[in-house]
Amino acid sequence: ARTAELLPYLDDADDEEPGGFDLRISVALNGQVISEPPFSTMYWTAAQQLTHMTVNGASLRTGDLFASGTVSGAAREQRGSLLELTWNGTEPLELPAGKRTFLEDGDEVTLTAWAPGPDGTRVGLGEVTGRIVPA
C-alpha cells in the first residue's frame, strides 16, 4: 500500500483501468524454486516509473529498457533477492545440496515469469538463466 500522497502527475487513483501488471515471477537456484515474488504489489506501476523518469526531460527511444529493481513481497518466500531471502546471510536457505547464504561459483539462477491471460490462459514471458563463474 502506498504510504504517501502522490504528486498529481503520478496519481492514478481515479483511473478506470489499473496500471499495474499481475506478473507471476519464479526464482530458482540450481533448479529449485526459492522465491515467488508478487509483481502485482509493486509500489509504482510501470507507467508511473516511465513518467517519473521522463518528467524532467530524460529521453527514451523505441527499444530502450527500464527495470523495476528488486521485486519482493512481505512473506519470506516472496523475497526477491538472495540477500533478502537469507536476511544478509544470517538465515541460510536449506537446499538439497546443503545450506546457502550467498551465490557461489557454479550456481545457476533462473528467472521465469508469466501473466494471467483471457479465459484463464497464461501468457508466458520466458526465462533467463545465469551461471556464476570463477573470477
Side-chain angles (χ1 to χ4, degrees):
R2 294 187 177 135
T3 56
E5 188 176 326
L6 299 177
L7 293 172
Y9 74 94
L10 294 174
D11 190 355
D12 62 356
D14 294 331
D15 290 357
E16 245 180 74
E17 292 279 329
F21 296 117
D22 187 14
L23 303 178
R24 312 298 171 89
I25 304 168
S26 180
V27 181
L29 175 58
N30 298 328
Q32 180 176 340
V33 174
I34 59 171
S35 179
E36 293 182 318
F39 196 86
S40 62
T41 62
M42 293 294 289
Y43 195 88
W44 302 106
T45 67
Q48 288 168 324
Q49 291 174 36
L50 178 66
T51 300
H52 187 68
M53 282 182 7
T54 59
V55 71
N56 287 319
S59 63
L60 291 176
R61 297 181 309 197
T62 302
D64 286 351
L65 299 174
F66 66 97
S68 65
T70 303
V71 178
S72 292
R76 185 174 200 257
E77 66 275 4
Q78 295 176 332
R79 295 177 187 166
S81 74
L82 201 54
L83 189 66
E84 292 175 347
L85 280 166
T86 65
W87 212 244
N88 196 25
T90 63
E91 298 175 11
L93 288 178
E94 296 286 341
L95 300 172
K99 292 183 180 183
R100 185 65 52 118
T101 52
F102 299 99
L103 294 177
E104 297 178 5
D105 288 348
D107 281 346
E108 187 173 87
V109 177
T110 301
L111 301 175
T112 57
W114 61 276
D119 301 320
T121 60
R122 289 183 173 196
V123 177
L125 301 173
E127 71 177 39
V128 62
T129 299
R131 180 179 299 278
I132 305 298
V133 296

